[in-house]
Amino acid sequence: MDDVWDDSIDDLECERAIAEKSFRKLEKAFTNSGYKYGVDASKTDNMQGGFDQGFDLSLHYGKAIGVVLGALLAQRSIRRKLNLPEENIDALVMKLRAIKHKSIFQSQYLTSPDPLPEFETPTDMYTSLLDEANETLKRLDAFLVE
């Protein structure tokens, strides 16, 4: 029904055609609005979940660095007061202070829209630096106990 002035069509059929076009227009508008609302709601829900997950992991890994860093700084202070060699404490402290979140997390974890649990493990660089610091602390503690 393209010609609304067509005399061969009665008024009821014309009104139905207009109502049908109006209905399709409204249906399309509501469908678009619903789609947009759904996308926005999904983004909000997923972003919050991703933030919460990343925050928890960052807190865990950051705390591990903080504990080791605090222990190294305490060792350095004790060793300076006792005039003992400090070994590589300053170098380790500098490395730990310089570590950034991008150095801790695997790149797949940072770029994936849905991070998988296997990407939550820290990078080898982070793990080896923490291992090095813990080994140094064990050595230093053992020396003080003797």
Side-chain angles (χ1 to χ4, degrees):
M1 154 100 205
D2 293 326
D3 186 5
V4 292
W5 305 110
D6 189 355
D7 290 334
S8 64
I9 299 173
D10 65 3
D11 288 341
L12 184 60
E13 195 175 330
C14 183
E15 286 178 22
R16 278 189 188 150
I18 292 172
E20 191 176 315
K21 282 185 179 184
S22 295
F23 178 76
R24 276 191 249 129
K25 187 175 180 181
L26 276 173
E27 184 180 38
K28 185 176 180 179
F30 278 107
T31 300
N32 287 340
S33 293
Y35 175 79
K36 288 175 186 176
Y37 176 78
V39 167
D40 287 345
S42 175
K43 281 182 184 177
T44 301
D45 291 347
N46 289 326
M47 281 193 291
Q48 187 61 51
F51 173 83
D52 292 345
Q53 182 182 14
F55 184 81
D56 287 345
L57 284 174
S58 295
L59 190 63
H60 172 74
Y61 294 141
K63 182 180 176 185
I65 290 173
V67 167
V68 170
L69 186 58
L72 285 169
L73 292 172
Q75 277 282 354
R76 183 176 69 184
S77 179
I78 290 168
R79 290 177 163 283
R80 284 183 180 168
K81 287 183 181 184
L82 297 175
N83 291 321
L84 296 172
E86 295 178 24
E87 293 192 26
N88 64 344
I89 293 176
D90 286 335
L92 279 171
V93 166
M94 287 176 57
K95 287 179 189 177
L96 287 167
R97 284 184 172 163
I99 199 163
K100 304 290 183 225
H101 75 281
K102 289 184 179 182
S103 305
I104 296 172
F105 294 105
Q106 297 182 32
S107 60
Q108 298 95 325
Y109 181 80
L110 295 172
T111 57
S112 174
D114 298 316
L116 300 171
E118 60 263 23
F119 297 144
E120 292 178 5
T121 58
T123 60
D124 291 340
M125 187 207 79
Y126 169 85
T127 305
S128 65
L129 181 57
L130 224 53
D131 288 347
E132 179 186 355
N134 282 317
E135 287 300 317
T136 300
L137 283 170
K138 281 181 191 174
R139 239 185 8 266
L140 296 172
D141 285 343
F143 181 80
L144 286 178
V145 173
E146 293 174 355

